[in-house]
């Protein structure tokens, strides 16, 4: 029997003026770059600013505070930030002519890597905060408001996690039906192409109690699907209520017991941390969605070694076989880097061969970009840009064909869809399939937040189109095990 979710009151924060008194709320505009963890962090920034009298806005020109939450994974990430700051400078100057103030902050991984340089090159920036410091935003804003240039990039991830727990104990506000929940941050793998260990720090896991408490309150606020986040999320570990060491599989089993929480996902995983219990969770839990993002980066053993991935292509194939034996209906996703230093035509063909053998439902692919301070940046035999571009185009053609084939295999299938928001057209709702595909269908607005059985009747370029199955439970409940049954019926 599932434990009942906590009795909580859903409230709206009162409006406040600049002094914290009831009145006009200040506006905060947050632009988010990069991964889902940045999306989660941006949401928490607006949460921590709400008691200070800020409400979120999508209109940059109307904002009293603008925050760029940045990503440092791709090439020229810092230059893109400076370019955006140039545009924001014009808005800030126009507001000043109107007698309105605007504060500007840069957060996230570019802030962590380029802190003092941002403060020097962009005078309009009032504060620079690394990804482990946003819980200190109110105090840092006060310093900046007093005229101090703030650059805060010290690592204190335990303090950040503690603050997340304090936020989880705050009054609950209504939330969208799908949400992210960070359970692990940082990375100890030190792949030679990656800056994450330097911008996010070492691997640190939140406690079971912290995660379960936040998940329970998410469910109480209307969340029906949670995606657990971590740079290496399947490296998560913690001590459970039974005093034993838990891994991600055991944590997922505990979260599956939460009343109202009907769907679980997690990302991003490393092949070396995919253990037996986690694979078994995909077999055992109907609430654990049949989708797995498991990056391999290359299909060449020589390049995998140069990347310091510490697994081989055969290790990856064996792992995929075990996962598919446990969950035959699972959709696999991956990450691929082409043009890593020293990559030959043979190495690239090994990657293409791996993709053909695995057959992905979706994938993300990139040209190798040299990140300052990483071992890859100092390697000899950098691949020319035109060769990288040609290889990327060929790889993307292959994975696009696989994705289209996977989507086409859903045609005529009935599956459960979480309806999340209004669609593009009147009378249309948009949601997600169990395999993380976008689904559009005609349905009444009161079904937003429910999970409905939907027949897939058309395959679009980027979405599936469905028909709502009639005579369902008005609450949005569907039969137990519908996802598994529908998948096997295909």
């Amino acid at each position: 029997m599932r434990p009942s979710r906590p009795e909580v009151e859903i409230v709206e924060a009162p409006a406040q003026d600049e002094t914290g008194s009831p009145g006009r709320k200040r506006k905060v505009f947050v632009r988010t770059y990069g991964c889902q963890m940045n999306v989660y962090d941006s949401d928490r920034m607006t949460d921590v600013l709400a008691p200070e009298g800020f409400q979120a806005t999508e209109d940059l020109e109307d904002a009293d505070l603008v925050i760029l939450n940045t990503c440092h994974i791709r090439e020229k990430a810092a230059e893109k930030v400076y370019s955006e700051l140039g545009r924001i400078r014009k808005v800030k100057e126009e507001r000043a002519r109107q007698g309105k103030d605007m504060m500007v902050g840069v957060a996230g991984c570019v802030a962590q890597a380029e802190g003092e340089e941002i403060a020097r090159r962009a005078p309009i920036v009032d504060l620079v905060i690394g990804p482990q410091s946003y819980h200190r935003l109110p105090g840092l804003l006060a310093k900046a408001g007093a005229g101090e240039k703030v650059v805060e990039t010290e690592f204190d991830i335990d303090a950040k996690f503690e603050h997340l727990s304090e936020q989880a104990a705050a009054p609950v506000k209504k939330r969208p039906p799908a949400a992210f929940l960070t359970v692990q941050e940082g990375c100890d793998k030190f792949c030679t192409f990656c800056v994450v260990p330097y911008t996010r720090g070492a691997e640190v896991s939140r406690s079971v109690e912290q995660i379960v408490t936040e998940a329970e309150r998410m469910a109480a606020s209307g969340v029906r699907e949670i995606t657990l986040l971590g740079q290496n999320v399947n490296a998560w570990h913690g001590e459970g209520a039974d005093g034993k060491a838990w891994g991600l599989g055991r944590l997922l089993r505990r979260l599956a017991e939460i009343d109202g929480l009907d769907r679980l996902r997690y990302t991003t995983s490393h092949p070396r941390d995919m253990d037996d219990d986690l694979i078994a969770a995909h077999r055992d839990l109907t609430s654990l969605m049949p989708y797995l993002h498991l990056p391999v980066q290359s299909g060449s053993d020589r390049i995998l070694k140069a990347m310091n991935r510490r697994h081989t292509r055969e290790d990856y194939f064996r792992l995929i076989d075990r996962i598919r034996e446990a969950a035959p209906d699972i959709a696999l996703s991956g990450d691929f880097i082409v043009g890593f230093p020293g990559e030959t035509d043979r190495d690239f063909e090994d990657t293409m061969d791996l993709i053909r053998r695995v057959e992905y439902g979706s994938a993300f692919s990139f040209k190798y970009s040299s990140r300052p301070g990483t071992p890859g940046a100092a390697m000899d035999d950098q691949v020319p840009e035109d060769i990288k571009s040609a290889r990327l185009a060929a790889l993307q053609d292959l994975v696009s064909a696989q994705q289209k084939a996977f989507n086409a295999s859903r045609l005529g299938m009935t599956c459960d869809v979480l309806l999340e928001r209004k669609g593009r057209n009147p009378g249309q709702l948009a949601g997600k399939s169990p395999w993380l595909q976008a689904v559009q269908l005609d349905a009444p607005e009161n079904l937003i937040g429910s999970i409905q059985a939907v027949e897939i009747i058309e395959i679009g370029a980027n979405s599936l189109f469905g028909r709502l199955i009639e005579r369902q439970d008005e609450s949005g409940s569907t039969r137990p095990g519908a996802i598994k049954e529908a998948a096997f019926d295909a």
Side-chain angles (χ1 to χ4, degrees), residues 442-454:
D442 292 333
E445 190 175 327
N446 68 304
L447 291 183
I448 291 176
S450 71
I451 298 173
Q452 298 288 330
V454 173

Side-chain angles (χ1 to χ4, degrees), residues 407-418:
N407 289 346
S409 72
R410 309 297 97 172
L411 187 63
M413 177 183 294
T414 296
C415 64
D416 287 353
V417 174
L418 173 61

Side-chain angles (χ1 to χ4, degrees), residues 68-83:
L68 302 182
N69 191 13
T70 61
C71 175
H72 205 253
I73 295 298
R74 301 265 64 82
E75 187 178 10
K76 298 181 180 177
E79 293 307 315
K80 291 176 182 176
V81 171
Y82 292 123
S83 177

Side-chain angles (χ1 to χ4, degrees), residues 337-339 343-345 348-349 352 365-368 383-398:
I337 296 173
V338 302
E343 183 186 69
T344 64
D345 288 342
F348 177 66
E349 179 52 37
M352 297 289 276
S365 52
F366 312 92
K367 291 187 289 186
Y368 171 73
V383 177
E385 196 66 24
D386 59 335
I387 294 177
K388 286 195 284 188
S389 296
R391 289 175 182 170
L392 181 64
L395 187 148
Q396 289 181 336
D397 283 346
L398 176 57

Side-chain angles (χ1 to χ4, degrees), residues 29-33 38 42 45 60 66-71 80-86 88 104-111 125 129:
F29 173 92
V30 182
R31 175 160 289 162
T32 306
Y33 302 84
N38 269 13
S42 292
M45 288 183 205
L60 185 150
V66 174
I67 299 174
L68 302 182
N69 191 13
T70 61
C71 175
K80 291 176 182 176
V81 171
Y82 292 123
S83 177
E84 182 65 19
L85 288 172
I88 293 171
V104 178
V106 178
C109 291
V110 172
V125 174
I129 50 176

Side-chain angles (χ1 to χ4, degrees), residues 24 50 96 145 152 190 197 212 214 428 433 465:
R24 188 188 76 84
E152 181 58 66
F190 287 93
V212 171
E214 185 169 353
Q428 190 178 70
S433 79
F465 294 88

